[in-house]
Amino acid sequence: MDTANTLLLICGLLLVISILASVLSNRLGAPILLTFLIIGMLAGTDGIIGLDFDDPDMAFFIGSTALVIILFDGGMRTNPQRFRVALWPAISLATVGVALTCTLVACAAVFWFGLPWPAALLIGAILSSTDAAAVFGIFQSQGLQIKERVGATLEIESGTNDPMAVILTLTMTAAVASGRFDVWYLMLAEVIWQLVGGLLFGWLGGRLFIIAARKLPLSFTFFPLLAVASAVLVFATTATLQGSGFLAVYLMGFVIGNARLPQLVHILHVQDGLAWLAQITMFLILGLLVTPSHLLEYLPVALGIAFALIFVARPIAVLISLLPFSFPWREQIFMSWVGLRGAVPIILALFPWLSGVEQQELYFDIAFVVVMVSLLIQGWTIAPLARWLNLEVPKRPQPQQRMPLSSVPSKEALEVWLYRIDKDSPACDHSWSELKLTAPATFVGLVRDGEWIQPETKPVVEEGDDLLVAATARDIDEVSRILASGGRGLKVNDKGFFGDFSLRGDLTFTELSSVYPLGNVDDTLMGKMLKDYFTEKFHRRVVIGDMITVGDVVLTVREIDELGEVKSLGIKAKE
């Protein structure tokens, strides 16, 4: 009983310290996952508490379970619209990019440090995946919103390259353990089956859960638990049949997250907490498992490989993977630098350890040092680099709270939105009838000083009111433009980014030149519409924030319509 109480005390203490430390981490701009990792190290063998944890099997079990929850949550939060913008570039990075990263890191390990090719390729496979949680945790803590094309590519890449890295690591571990590399065709067939099996069982698991959610008379309370249990079941089943379980749970989450289930909002609320708990637990356990004094033995090799990964392998892999997609050079530089490594490489480094591969400490210690270096160097510089490369875009006005009405049968997703009115909101000091919204929306009322003021009284909206509106999800940008804050406290404001004037996308350069001096412009442009010129330049992947300099002016995409064409642009003088 005393042992159990002590264990619970330590676990609770570490979780509380980790959560409280995240506040300081956000203020310092440090990657929050680095904080969890350091706390685990401080509690470990060479740390302050001195906990002696040396159980790779337990660490692997906890880490794998945590990854299932994290990938399942990531899949559910992936919007299909982002696939339209960035699916193929992300797939290229998650396949070609992973293979190139593995190969280039292996080359550095062989030619710089004299490691044998089998060990070098295994190290490359272990280090080949990026960490979405680390990247977007930094964006969130820094209040950073980057261009949709870049963010979507990084998000989908990070969600899909984990399964690829796992497949490569499992294949290379088996080859190193057996000493057989001559049957390459069997290894290729195994990789193909893992991909196919992961896609098949992930899609099937998602569809079966949707059917169950619509048929089972369960309380809403049980559906988040059923979702997590189903994800674990699909992962275990797929892995048992030699498919990629991690790919399966990511795809399963994506299928469920875009099915408009009435229970989805409850599932996502619970999943958010579970995903953070999984990340904290995973990094604490991995921090506990490492012995810092043992890292010194392989420190020169680990630092050299970290340098090769960050400054050579990742940039070359991004450059080659994105060649067919004509990404602007600024975006390529940023994505080259945002190859942040997180918990996945450390967990993958447990595969050789558990398989009895020789020099098992080599793989684990190198992976741990590389992750630490990546979080320290890349993690602290991501936000400043995004701003320096001009990839940060103004945040879209959004409601403070969105309440989906998923249980209401309708052709479009109905929601109720809450807007907290401040003095910068265009709605302040006006009645609802004076707002002249162009999108269909219904005024539900105001909450003022805790009292609900009903629409029938025709109240004037005041600063500090909570305004409630019912509308369809597709109209959120138009409604928020009128009801949300005008941008107080934002680091990037609309006028500074887009310019003082807004233009329609269907204007021609001739029409534009009649009201705004363009300077020296090619005559072949004059009859062309602005939106067509952007589509031509960006190969049909135009996103908000894309810029083109024409003569003496800079044109910046402000709005995109449902077909992906430019709806409006901002214009300002070239600096």
Side-chain angles (χ1 to χ4, degrees), residues 86 282 290 373 437 559:
M282 180 169 58
V290 72
V373 171
L437 269 73
E559 290 181 279

Side-chain angles (χ1 to χ4, degrees), residues 80-125:
Q81 181 70 12
R82 298 177 81 79
F83 276 86
R84 182 191 66 81
V85 173
L87 176 61
W88 294 115
I91 293 298
S92 180
L93 284 170
T95 52
V96 176
V98 166
L100 284 171
T101 301
C102 173
T103 304
L104 292 170
V105 168
C107 289
V110 170
F111 295 113
W112 289 2
F113 301 103
L115 293 179
W117 274 107
L121 286 169
L122 180 53
I123 290 172

Side-chain angles (χ1 to χ4, degrees), residues 2 131 168 334 347 381 388 407:
D2 290 340
D131 192 314
L168 274 178
F334 185 73
I347 293 174
T381 55
W388 181 70
S407 58

Side-chain angles (χ1 to χ4, degrees), residues 305-328:
I305 289 176
F307 176 87
L309 174 66
I310 295 171
F311 295 101
V312 180
R314 173 69 180 182
I316 292 176
V318 168
L319 176 65
I320 295 176
S321 300
L322 297 182
L323 273 178
F325 305 103
S326 303
F327 271 68

Side-chain angles (χ1 to χ4, degrees), residues 446-453 464-466:
L446 299 173
V447 177
R448 181 182 297 163
D449 299 326
E451 298 291 332
W452 177 34
I453 302 176
D465 287 348
D466 288 328

Side-chain angles (χ1 to χ4, degrees), residues 493-502 554 556 558 570-573:
N493 59 65
D494 274 10
K495 287 188 176 181
F497 188 83
F498 295 110
D500 292 322
F501 300 100
S502 182
V554 177
T556 307
R558 182 185 283 270
I571 185 170
K572 60 183 178 181

Side-chain angles (χ1 to χ4, degrees), residues 15-48:
L15 285 173
V16 169
I17 292 174
S18 299
I19 294 169
L20 295 179
S22 66
V23 178
L24 178 62
S25 175
N26 286 337
R27 290 185 177 179
L28 295 176
I32 190 170
L33 302 183
L34 177 63
T35 304
F36 303 148
L37 201 60
I38 292 175
I39 291 174
M41 292 173 63
L42 291 175
T45 305
D46 292 348
I48 299 172

